[in-house]
Amino acid sequence: MKLSAEQLATFDEQGYIFFPNCFSEDEIALLRAEADNILKLDRPEVWREKTGAPRTAFAAHTFSPVFELLARHPRLIEPLRQLFGEDVYVHQFKLNAKAAFEGDVWQWHQDYGTWQRDDGMPAPRAMNIAVFLDEVMPINGPLLLIPKSHKQGVFDAGHDKSTTSYPLWTLDKDTVTKLASAAADGSGVGIVAPTGKPGSVLMFHGNLVHASPPNITPYPRKIVYLTLCAVSNHITKFTRPAFIAHRDFTPIVPAEDDALREYARAHRVAAE
Ligand SMILES: O=C(O)CCC(=O)C(=O)O
């Protein structure tokens, strides 16, 4: 998947690009079934909300052959190689459950704020490319983005270790209010919530301010976030567990485009 000149310009201006229906129903069925199994596991990589519901499974690509393929999928890797102009490695891999009724808030933050402060990442030459495994709707805890907020560098942030089960460097209300209203006054579009069918993909700049509300609906909202970093920009501090901030900076060798379909076919045949 190559980005067009128009997509590159949109990304530069807005800080994100949304690709509806990037993965097929077959591919998503495979990923969703694997995700449901992983979120039931009792292992250190699977973090839970304060209620016990699954919140995030880290590093699933290191113990699941299906997610190992997704982490090398050319539809995710190529756009970021193109954008950074060099090879990329996996800095982080998260399967965020946002469980029905129990999925908790993600406070306003910038991803690079955390990668810089906690992991010593030199520059914002890393970003998330997210794959929707369930339908993301306005009502089931979608990701909220402030377009253009990636243009102003890293904002001051406080280390929130108590609101949710996952520590995060979060922005204060004044900063978010100013950014959202500056955006609303003509220099942007306030706050947006990209929604779409399973299989849609969202890539967003490491400095783009974002958050997500709790999910109080009966509809789960699983999203996989593959965080890719330019190899020359690898992290320099190792304060977090390696399954959260990876220390293997080997360039990713992309899989074949039909790797997930092939895997599903082979395993269906093997099971018959
Ligand atoms: O999955 C979500 O709702 C938010 C995740 C997020 O903001 C992040 O991983 O940085």
Side-chain angles (χ1 to χ4, degrees):
M1 196 165 82
K2 278 267 176 218
L3 302 174
S4 65
E6 195 184 335
Q7 285 173 320
L8 287 167
T10 302
F11 179 77
D12 180 53
E13 189 188 295
Q14 300 294 325
Y16 71 99
I17 311 186
F18 184 63
F19 308 93
N21 309 317
C22 192
F23 287 87
S24 67
E25 278 176 28
D26 282 10
E27 291 170 320
I28 289 300
L30 175 72
L31 294 167
R32 195 190 296 124
E34 184 76 350
D36 287 337
N37 289 333
I38 285 173
L39 291 170
K40 287 185 204 135
L41 297 176
D42 182 13
R43 47 183 302 159
E45 293 92 341
V46 181
W47 286 37
R48 301 197 168 271
E49 308 284 12
K50 290 178 172 171
T51 63
R55 178 175 176 88
T56 298
F58 290 97
H61 68 304
T62 62
F63 57 86
S64 152
V66 172
F67 284 117
E68 191 271 336
L69 287 178
L70 185 69
R72 292 193 294 120
H73 204 287
R75 280 173 241 159
L76 306 179
I77 306 302
E78 292 304 347
L80 294 206
R81 283 217 298 210
Q82 181 186 355
L83 208 76
F84 294 137
E86 64 170 296
D87 279 330
V88 292
Y89 76 93
V90 179
H91 171 57
Q92 192 171 66
F93 187 100
K94 294 199 301 284
L95 159 60
N96 281 359
K98 195 69 92 165
F101 296 112
E102 292 180 79
D104 207 349
V105 63
W106 285 74
Q107 302 286 6
W108 290 103
H109 66 285
Q110 296 170 295
D111 291 331
Y112 179 63
T114 296
W115 304 333
Q116 183 188 50
R117 292 176 179 102
D118 288 350
D119 306 328
M121 188 185 282
R125 286 172 54 74
M127 75 178 81
N128 279 325
I129 183 151
V131 183
F132 293 5
L133 300 191
D134 294 312
E135 178 159 1
V136 177
M137 301 177 257
I139 53 173
N140 66 347
L143 211 57
L144 307 178
L145 313 175
I146 303 187
K148 304 187 176 184
S149 55
H150 64 303
K151 294 278 191 189
Q152 298 183 44
V154 177
F155 295 102
D156 286 343
H159 205 195
D160 178 0
K161 297 186 200 165
S162 61
T163 309
T164 68
S165 58
Y166 181 59
L168 202 63
W169 289 90
T170 59
L171 306 189
D172 63 28
K173 291 177 188 163
D174 275 356
T175 307
V176 174
T177 305
K178 279 189 200 118
L179 282 170
S181 53
D185 74 6
S187 54
V189 285
I191 295 174
V192 296
T195 55
K197 295 280 179 207
S200 300
V201 164
L202 174 70
M203 68 183 253
F204 55 101
H205 193 283
N207 275 338
L208 196 75
V209 174
H210 62 283
S212 69
N215 182 8
I216 58 166
T217 74
Y219 314 117
R221 190 238 63 181
K222 286 184 287 303
I223 300 181
V224 172
Y225 296 87
L226 174 61
T227 309
L228 299 174
C229 183
V231 169
S232 67
N233 189 50
H234 67 74
I235 64 170
T236 59
K237 253 165 71 179
F238 306 112
T239 62
R240 303 197 288 172
F243 66 76
I244 295 186
H246 296 292
R247 291 154 202 192
D248 177 357
F249 312 135
T250 311
I252 297 169
V253 178
E256 294 297 323
D257 191 76
D258 64 352
L260 290 168
R261 274 190 295 261
E262 276 303 314
Y263 183 98
R265 211 170 293 135
H267 286 76
R268 220 173 12 245
V269 170
E272 278 164 5

